[in-house]
Amino acid sequence: MDIQQYMQRLGEQARQASRAMARASSSDKDKALAAIAGALRSHRNAILQANQQDLDAGRNNGLDAALLDRLELTPDRFDGMVEGLEQIIGLADPIGVITDLAYRPSGIQVGKMRVPLGVIGIIYESRPNVTVDAAALCLKSGNAAILRGGSEAINANQAIAECIREGLREAGLPDTAVQVVETTDRAAVGELISHPEFVDVIVPRGGKGLIERISNDARVPVIKHLDGNCHTYIDGQANIAKAISVAYNAKTQRYGTCNTTETLLVANAIAPQVLPELAGKYQQAGVELRGCDKARRLLTEAGITGMVEASNSDWEEEFLAPVLAVKIVDGINDAIEHINRYSSGHTEAIITENYTLARRFLTEVDSSSVMVNASTRFADGFEYGLGAEIGISTDKIHARGPVGLEGLTSQKWVVLGDGHIRL
Amino acid sequence: MDIQQYMQRLGEQARQASRAMARASSSDKDKALAAIAGALRSHRNAILQANQQDLDAGRNNGLDAALLDRLELTPDRFDGMVEGLEQIIGLADPIGVITDLAYRPSGIQVGKMRVPLGVIGIIYESRPNVTVDAAALCLKSGNAAILRGGSEAINANQAIAECIREGLREAGLPDTAVQVVETTDRAAVGELISHPEFVDVIVPRGGKGLIERISNDARVPVIKHLDGNCHTYIDGQANIAKAISVAYNAKTQRYGTCNTTETLLVANAIAPQVLPELAGKYQQAGVELRGCDKARRLLTEAGITGMVEASNSDWEEEFLAPVLAVKIVDGINDAIEHINRYSSGHTEAIITENYTLARRFLTEVDSSSVMVNASTRFADGFEYGLGAEIGISTDKIHARGPVGLEGLTSQKWVVLGDGHIRL
């Protein structure tokens, strides 16, 4: 197979299909999503069998347990995947919404209309359910998509792709609106990210390594999500009960998520009142604490042992594990400076009852989500009411933080006149 | 001078200054802009003298007349430059605006706050007034800026830079918030566009060649403006008086602007009633017409000579000159297909009285501005009410069409709770 030629053909077909998708009505798009859900349900056994093939091949190739787990489509996961697709049907169609249409002094009316980006390239790893999720989000937002899943999932992905095509045809939409790359050759990724004439934006979904590689090489804009090194700062004027409850939740509610707090900052003035109790709770939950000198001394004095010394790299790390870095700071200036230096710009929270400090924290912390008296774990498209999440962007351009369907759209200007000319 | 080291220093200083700019109050920013205007006025003679040095050097180096004209700061242009700066003071501060703050089922309040991008790199050609304009837009939007003007304007740019620093200091803001690159070494541009750790976005202002070069090489996001190959389509159900007036204005009101119509499409059904009269008017204004076979036959039959045969490349070209490509099409399908194939995605207009066709044109034409019964010449930040224009983006990501101050900003999420935790 000539990969360059093959990807060019996919690109041309996607560009062509994107025109039809851009003018497809809301009801046609929803019809296609429902038909895809129906096709997935009726081909359930075939898809699970294809997934079994992938799992067998993976085991023979010595894939590790974590990867095999991500690769597996259990019956429960299959049902969850189809239900997720059906939830997207219920979301409002973002396309065609006109805002701010107003008269200008010249007499023309000017407004903005939300439109699809065109063709979305999605590159992801071994989870086959991402194929359905990504296809549904692109279709709902009026885009065409080229999907490139991990090579380990090739059989399940192709079986799912056939269902997507079936659903598209049933709704009278071009079945090239979603194309799943059929080759496992890595050169296909290189082609996908190099042709702005065919692909308008790339969304990589997966580990940091994948995303960094793609961002470095892409000649097409990338909506990317790198680290989530999130901070919770307990201010000197925090309510102690709220501080302990929120800081505990922010670390322990889930460990592997990008919005989990990785560093706890505590104001010197309040540390003796909150840190011993909080440290005890963390340790009971099995969280390893890595602290600055001051924090360690304080805990030792309080009779709590086991906090190890934090190294410099601990301030930078996204642990994704039951590990927490702890630092005692002088106050808000120190906290903001630490955060703006070490944070990955994902999500940070302050716990305080002080109005002025809360206001300063919101303004001066340069992260995609800034919070007062709430757990960093809330930084999530569903919690924010977006209905669906494409990902969480750590970029500043285009979309920042949790990205919903709107992240796959743009706005064009609409001008209405009655024979108006420029003088 | 070690360019790499020098640019790294500018980058670090800019990043540092951007923190202070992000929290600067509206009144501090406006105070700085007013102080810069004052400094420019009091150093007027020195700046005009520096510009004279640049002009002398340019003449000695054999710069052509057009370039020398762009380089020249006449007293009138100087005054216009300072007045433009003062107008920016009057614009609303986009920073800190919170929108859509609403309660979620969990009890948290979620909204979006408009924030600066951080550090803007602006690369432009020989016009020294761009130095003032770009600095003012970046400051007003709470950003730090690194400006790299054309080497021909180095003396005027440095004299202007000194006034900007003076104004920043007077307002108590860091004078590194706007840095004008002091070397004419081209390697500085390469450095400026390669360090996402120091620069958040690049805005190139100048010819297509410059912009293409920068977009290809940049490792930092670029807000770019390439071609303006704009179309006006006179539909079969157009009002003839409006059609002639708007199509004439769209081509002849100015020739060198990116929103000037470069191709006129006319529906077959109405061509005999509008094209002869319109062609006569264009020719009287000195516009060269390049037409398809049908258009040429029609004009010959009407006794109008002088329309030459259009070549294929004429459909693609941004003439920026009194030249117009003319094509007779079957109707709206044909027109939309032609536009989506050949247009650069800048601005297109339909002239029609038909509601359904107007609605289809607005939806299906994939350009940054789509218009009904209005001259394409309206596609402009000032006409759209943006108050200022950074440029006109032909990208789809981040900003599309005329870009105002908002194009130099982004939105972060704000979450307000009262001890809320995720369950």
Side-chain angles (χ1 to χ4, degrees), chain A residues 271-272 275-277 279-280 283 289-309 326 328:
Chain A
L275 203 48
E277 183 178 344
Q283 287 182 334
L289 301 176
R290 302 185 186 169
C292 67
D293 282 349
K294 266 193 187 167
R296 295 178 71 217
R297 267 201 308 274
L298 176 71
L299 289 190
T300 310
E301 283 164 18
I304 294 177
T305 56
M307 178 183 266
V308 300
E309 197 182 334
V326 179
I328 293 182

Side-chain angles (χ1 to χ4, degrees), chain B residues 14 23 29 67 99 189 197 201 255 262 294 352 367 413:
Chain B
R23 55 175 189 261
K29 291 185 284 186
L67 221 157
T99 45
V189 174
E197 69 275 29
V201 67
Y255 295 116
E262 304 288 22
K294 265 194 187 166
T352 191
S367 294
W413 294 90

Side-chain angles (χ1 to χ4, degrees), chain B residues 69-72 77 124-131 149-150 152-153 157:
Chain B
D69 176 56
R70 286 202 291 275
L71 182 56
E72 188 173 3
R77 284 182 186 172
Y124 50 105
E125 291 175 332
S126 50
R127 291 179 206 270
N129 57 320
V130 174
T131 309
E152 310 83 8
N157 282 343

Side-chain angles (χ1 to χ4, degrees), chain A residues 242 365 377 412 418 422, chain B residues 242 377 412 418 422:
Chain A
K242 289 181 203 168
V365 170
R377 285 279 296 124
K412 69 183 180 190
D418 185 25
R422 180 106 180 250
Chain B
K242 289 180 204 169
R377 285 280 296 125
K412 68 182 180 192
D418 185 25
R422 181 105 180 249

Side-chain angles (χ1 to χ4, degrees), chain A residues 15 19 22-23 98 104-106 108 110 112-113 115-119 200-201 215-216 219 221 223 242 245-247 249 253 259 340-341 353 359-375 377-380 382-386 395-403 406-407 409-423, chain B residues 15 19 22-23 98 104-106 108 110 112-113 115-119 200-201 215-216 219 221 223 242 245-247 249 253 259 340-341 353 359-375 377-380 382-386 395-403 406-407 409-423:
Chain A
R15 179 59 76 210
R19 305 259 178 239
R23 55 173 189 263
I98 295 180
R104 299 290 314 146
S106 63
I108 58 173
V110 179
K112 286 173 156 192
M113 184 195 282
V115 290
L117 288 176
V119 178
D200 294 292
V201 68
S215 309
N216 283 336
R219 296 216 39 239
I223 297 179
K242 289 181 203 168
S245 158
V246 170
N249 181 265
Q253 202 250 344
N259 53 19
N340 283 340
R341 176 163 173 199
E353 295 302 308
R359 201 161 165 260
R360 272 195 61 197
F361 191 89
L362 291 177
T363 303
E364 296 181 24
V365 170
D366 185 23
S367 293
S368 71
S369 287
V370 287
M371 304 186 168
V372 181
N373 293 347
S375 168
R377 285 279 296 124
F378 280 111
D380 171 299
F382 293 92
E383 292 294 336
Y384 285 5
L386 303 179
D395 288 322
K396 289 185 164 185
I397 295 285
H398 189 64
R400 204 173 176 191
V403 180
E406 254 189 39
T409 69
S410 178
Q411 287 181 303
K412 69 183 180 190
W413 295 89
V414 167
V415 176
L416 305 181
D418 185 25
H420 286 82
I421 60 171
R422 180 106 180 250
L423 301 175
Chain B
R15 179 61 75 210
R19 304 260 179 237
R23 55 175 189 261
I98 295 181
R104 299 290 314 146
S106 63
I108 58 173
V110 179
K112 285 175 156 190
M113 184 194 281
V115 290
L117 287 176
V119 178
D200 294 292
V201 67
S215 310
N216 283 337
R219 297 215 37 240
I223 296 179
K242 289 180 204 169
S245 159
V246 170
N249 181 267
Q253 202 250 345
N259 53 18
N340 283 341
R341 175 162 176 200
E353 296 301 309
R359 201 161 165 258
R360 273 195 60 197
F361 191 88
L362 291 177
T363 304
E364 296 181 25
V365 170
D366 185 22
S367 294
S368 71
S369 288
V370 287
M371 305 185 166
V372 181
N373 294 347
S375 168
R377 285 280 296 125
F378 280 111
D380 171 301
F382 294 91
E383 293 294 334
Y384 284 4
L386 303 179
D395 288 321
K396 289 184 164 185
I397 295 287
H398 189 64
R400 203 173 177 191
V403 181
E406 255 190 37
T409 69
S410 179
Q411 288 181 304
K412 68 182 180 192
W413 294 90
V414 168
V415 176
L416 306 179
D418 185 25
H420 286 82
I421 59 172
R422 181 105 180 249
L423 303 176

